[in-house]
Amino acid sequence: YKLTAGTQFRVAGVIDGEVYGGYLRQNYDDPVLPNVSTPAFGGNVRWRFIPSTLFIGWFDRSIEETTLFDSSSYVFSGGGASVEHDITSALLLTVRGGISKSDFQGIDRIDDEYDGSLALRYKFPDHFYVAGDSRFQRRIPNTSTADFARHQVFLRAGVQY
């Protein structure tokens, strides 16, 4: 279960967000798998510091299931930020970065993960768009068998209402 309390805030019409804190607990029927409990926290902030640019920051903690042998789950703690800038009324640039830690329960494994992306979106009249996105992700575990890195490039076309 997840028990949290939080609040929303707005400052001068240009900054808004929410924060929460509480408690997480996950129990498992299998006695081999450890039960998990941890503090819960999270939040986000949106700041439009000039009319054409939006900053978004976030942080979160959760319990996630896993299929790794002898591990019931992992405690995920992470955060990140993005900046969206309207280059023109039709062209949007987005830069994003994040960092997280996954602490696996029942086994000796902790993953540090880093990710970043750069995207451009061109909006046509009548809600159509084309976009390009480059994403990089890196996982650095404390075990040598789970090291991971990837770079992806996406080209998209769509309709947004």
Side-chain angles (χ1 to χ4, degrees), residues 34-54:
N35 295 331
V36 182
S37 61
T38 187
F41 53 81
N44 63 70
V45 64
R46 296 171 51 91
W47 177 26
R48 187 165 298 280
F49 53 94
I50 59 175
S52 61
T53 305
L54 175 65

mmCIF file of all heavy atoms in Angstrom, residues 34-54:
data_model
loop_
_atom_site.group_PDB
_atom_site.id
_atom_site.type_symbol
_atom_site.label_atom_id
_atom_site.label_comp_id
_atom_site.label_asym_id
_atom_site.label_seq_id
_atom_site.Cartn_x
_atom_site.Cartn_y
_atom_site.Cartn_z
ATOM 1 N N PRO A 34 11.437 -10.997 0.266
ATOM 2 C CA PRO A 34 11.338 -10.071 1.396
ATOM 3 C C PRO A 34 10.230 -9.024 1.198
ATOM 4 O O PRO A 34 10.016 -8.529 0.092
ATOM 5 C CB PRO A 34 12.706 -9.389 1.421
ATOM 6 C CG PRO A 34 13.210 -9.496 0.026
ATOM 7 C CD PRO A 34 12.651 -10.782 -0.518
ATOM 8 N N ASN A 35 9.525 -8.723 2.294
ATOM 9 C CA ASN A 35 8.589 -7.608 2.289
ATOM 10 C C ASN A 35 9.392 -6.311 2.243
ATOM 11 O O ASN A 35 10.543 -6.260 2.669
ATOM 12 C CB ASN A 35 7.711 -7.636 3.533
ATOM 13 C CG ASN A 35 6.807 -8.850 3.552
ATOM 14 O OD1 ASN A 35 6.416 -9.365 2.513
ATOM 15 N ND2 ASN A 35 6.485 -9.321 4.740
ATOM 16 N N VAL A 36 8.771 -5.255 1.738
ATOM 17 C CA VAL A 36 9.479 -3.995 1.555
ATOM 18 C C VAL A 36 8.669 -2.869 2.183
ATOM 19 O O VAL A 36 7.459 -2.785 1.999
ATOM 20 C CB VAL A 36 9.683 -3.694 0.054
ATOM 21 C CG1 VAL A 36 10.449 -2.405 -0.144
ATOM 22 C CG2 VAL A 36 10.380 -4.842 -0.639
ATOM 23 N N SER A 37 9.350 -1.995 2.906
ATOM 24 C CA SER A 37 8.735 -0.759 3.382
ATOM 25 C C SER A 37 9.782 0.346 3.313
ATOM 26 O O SER A 37 10.965 0.106 3.552
ATOM 27 C CB SER A 37 8.204 -0.913 4.802
ATOM 28 O OG SER A 37 9.240 -1.229 5.689
ATOM 29 N N THR A 38 9.332 1.545 2.946
ATOM 30 C CA THR A 38 10.252 2.665 2.763
ATOM 31 C C THR A 38 9.472 3.970 2.789
ATOM 32 O O THR A 38 8.265 3.977 2.503
ATOM 33 C CB THR A 38 11.019 2.517 1.424
ATOM 34 O OG1 THR A 38 12.019 3.508 1.338
ATOM 35 C CG2 THR A 38 10.089 2.618 0.239
ATOM 36 N N PRO A 39 10.126 5.070 3.117
ATOM 37 C CA PRO A 39 9.448 6.361 2.994
ATOM 38 C C PRO A 39 9.073 6.630 1.532
ATOM 39 O O PRO A 39 9.781 6.220 0.617
ATOM 40 C CB PRO A 39 10.491 7.367 3.472
ATOM 41 C CG PRO A 39 11.451 6.581 4.290
ATOM 42 C CD PRO A 39 11.468 5.205 3.699
ATOM 43 N N ALA A 40 7.961 7.310 1.351
ATOM 44 C CA ALA A 40 7.514 7.706 0.010
ATOM 45 C C ALA A 40 7.674 9.207 -0.129
ATOM 46 O O ALA A 40 7.485 9.947 0.836
ATOM 47 C CB ALA A 40 6.051 7.323 -0.184
ATOM 48 N N PHE A 41 8.044 9.651 -1.324
ATOM 49 C CA PHE A 41 8.110 11.080 -1.587
ATOM 50 C C PHE A 41 8.051 11.309 -3.081
ATOM 51 O O PHE A 41 8.329 10.414 -3.876
ATOM 52 C CB PHE A 41 9.373 11.719 -0.996
ATOM 53 C CG PHE A 41 10.657 11.053 -1.397
ATOM 54 C CD1 PHE A 41 11.255 11.317 -2.623
ATOM 55 C CD2 PHE A 41 11.268 10.149 -0.547
ATOM 56 C CE1 PHE A 41 12.432 10.695 -2.988
ATOM 57 C CE2 PHE A 41 12.452 9.527 -0.902
ATOM 58 C CZ PHE A 41 13.038 9.801 -2.122
ATOM 59 N N GLY A 42 7.673 12.495 -3.440
ATOM 60 C CA GLY A 42 7.638 12.841 -4.853
ATOM 61 C C GLY A 42 7.131 14.244 -5.046
ATOM 62 O O GLY A 42 6.686 14.906 -4.109
ATOM 63 N N GLY A 43 7.217 14.681 -6.268
ATOM 64 C CA GLY A 43 6.706 16.000 -6.584
ATOM 65 C C GLY A 43 7.141 16.450 -7.958
ATOM 66 O O GLY A 43 7.884 15.763 -8.657
ATOM 67 N N ASN A 44 6.631 17.594 -8.333
ATOM 68 C CA ASN A 44 7.013 18.195 -9.600
ATOM 69 C C ASN A 44 6.829 19.696 -9.511
ATOM 70 O O ASN A 44 6.092 20.205 -8.658
ATOM 71 C CB ASN A 44 6.204 17.606 -10.757
ATOM 72 C CG ASN A 44 4.728 17.897 -10.620
ATOM 73 O OD1 ASN A 44 4.317 19.041 -10.766
ATOM 74 N ND2 ASN A 44 3.933 16.879 -10.334
ATOM 75 N N VAL A 45 7.509 20.389 -10.383
ATOM 76 C CA VAL A 45 7.381 21.839 -10.481
ATOM 77 C C VAL A 45 7.408 22.214 -11.960
ATOM 78 O O VAL A 45 8.116 21.602 -12.755
ATOM 79 C CB VAL A 45 8.506 22.567 -9.691
ATOM 80 C CG1 VAL A 45 9.874 22.272 -10.261
ATOM 81 C CG2 VAL A 45 8.257 24.057 -9.632
ATOM 82 N N ARG A 46 6.588 23.189 -12.317
ATOM 83 C CA ARG A 46 6.545 23.732 -13.680
ATOM 84 C C ARG A 46 6.765 25.236 -13.555
ATOM 85 O O ARG A 46 6.041 25.906 -12.823
ATOM 86 C CB ARG A 46 5.198 23.447 -14.335
ATOM 87 C CG ARG A 46 4.941 21.963 -14.525
ATOM 88 C CD ARG A 46 3.499 21.689 -14.978
ATOM 89 N NE ARG A 46 3.097 22.469 -16.109
ATOM 90 C CZ ARG A 46 3.219 22.123 -17.398
ATOM 91 N NH1 ARG A 46 3.749 20.966 -17.698
ATOM 92 N NH2 ARG A 46 2.813 22.914 -18.357
ATOM 93 N N TRP A 47 7.751 25.739 -14.294
ATOM 94 C CA TRP A 47 8.104 27.154 -14.201
ATOM 95 C C TRP A 47 8.257 27.721 -15.598
ATOM 96 O O TRP A 47 9.173 27.337 -16.329
ATOM 97 C CB TRP A 47 9.390 27.303 -13.407
ATOM 98 C CG TRP A 47 9.917 28.695 -13.284
ATOM 99 C CD1 TRP A 47 9.211 29.868 -13.344
ATOM 100 C CD2 TRP A 47 11.282 29.061 -13.090
ATOM 101 N NE1 TRP A 47 10.048 30.943 -13.181
ATOM 102 C CE2 TRP A 47 11.346 30.475 -13.014
ATOM 103 C CE3 TRP A 47 12.467 28.339 -12.952
ATOM 104 C CZ2 TRP A 47 12.527 31.160 -12.832
ATOM 105 C CZ3 TRP A 47 13.638 29.037 -12.757
ATOM 106 C CH2 TRP A 47 13.667 30.420 -12.693
ATOM 107 N N ARG A 48 7.364 28.618 -15.964
ATOM 108 C CA ARG A 48 7.461 29.299 -17.255
ATOM 109 C C ARG A 48 8.144 30.637 -16.986
ATOM 110 O O ARG A 48 7.505 31.635 -16.693
ATOM 111 C CB ARG A 48 6.085 29.493 -17.893
ATOM 112 C CG ARG A 48 6.209 30.047 -19.294
ATOM 113 C CD ARG A 48 4.945 29.939 -20.096
ATOM 114 N NE ARG A 48 4.471 28.600 -20.346
ATOM 115 C CZ ARG A 48 4.932 27.768 -21.290
ATOM 116 N NH1 ARG A 48 5.940 28.142 -22.065
ATOM 117 N NH2 ARG A 48 4.390 26.587 -21.460
ATOM 118 N N PHE A 49 9.492 30.620 -17.037
ATOM 119 C CA PHE A 49 10.239 31.812 -16.637
ATOM 120 C C PHE A 49 10.292 32.886 -17.711
ATOM 121 O O PHE A 49 10.555 34.041 -17.407
ATOM 122 C CB PHE A 49 11.629 31.473 -16.098
ATOM 123 C CG PHE A 49 12.484 30.626 -16.974
ATOM 124 C CD1 PHE A 49 13.385 31.193 -17.844
ATOM 125 C CD2 PHE A 49 12.399 29.252 -16.894
ATOM 126 C CE1 PHE A 49 14.187 30.400 -18.639
ATOM 127 C CE2 PHE A 49 13.206 28.453 -17.680
ATOM 128 C CZ PHE A 49 14.098 29.029 -18.560
ATOM 129 N N ILE A 50 10.067 32.527 -18.978
ATOM 130 C CA ILE A 50 9.776 33.492 -20.034
ATOM 131 C C ILE A 50 8.661 32.862 -20.865
ATOM 132 O O ILE A 50 8.493 31.636 -20.850
ATOM 133 C CB ILE A 50 11.017 33.854 -20.897
ATOM 134 C CG1 ILE A 50 11.606 32.610 -21.568
ATOM 135 C CG2 ILE A 50 12.056 34.586 -20.074
ATOM 136 C CD1 ILE A 50 12.754 32.923 -22.526
ATOM 137 N N PRO A 51 7.884 33.647 -21.589
ATOM 138 C CA PRO A 51 6.716 33.083 -22.278
ATOM 139 C C PRO A 51 7.020 31.913 -23.212
ATOM 140 O O PRO A 51 6.189 31.032 -23.379
ATOM 141 C CB PRO A 51 6.149 34.277 -23.059
ATOM 142 C CG PRO A 51 6.565 35.458 -22.260
ATOM 143 C CD PRO A 51 7.929 35.109 -21.708
ATOM 144 N N SER A 52 8.214 31.860 -23.781
ATOM 145 C CA SER A 52 8.512 30.808 -24.758
ATOM 146 C C SER A 52 9.251 29.614 -24.152
ATOM 147 O O SER A 52 9.571 28.661 -24.864
ATOM 148 C CB SER A 52 9.350 31.382 -25.905
ATOM 149 O OG SER A 52 10.585 31.877 -25.402
ATOM 150 N N THR A 53 9.519 29.615 -22.837
ATOM 151 C CA THR A 53 10.330 28.556 -22.244
ATOM 152 C C THR A 53 9.702 28.038 -20.960
ATOM 153 O O THR A 53 9.345 28.813 -20.079
ATOM 154 C CB THR A 53 11.758 29.066 -21.964
ATOM 155 O OG1 THR A 53 12.301 29.583 -23.175
ATOM 156 C CG2 THR A 53 12.647 27.947 -21.460
ATOM 157 N N LEU A 54 9.604 26.694 -20.874
ATOM 158 C CA LEU A 54 9.021 26.025 -19.712
ATOM 159 C C LEU A 54 10.039 25.067 -19.113
ATOM 160 O O LEU A 54 10.590 24.221 -19.822
ATOM 161 C CB LEU A 54 7.766 25.247 -20.127
ATOM 162 C CG LEU A 54 7.102 24.400 -19.050
ATOM 163 C CD1 LEU A 54 6.541 25.276 -17.934
ATOM 164 C CD2 LEU A 54 5.998 23.546 -19.677
#
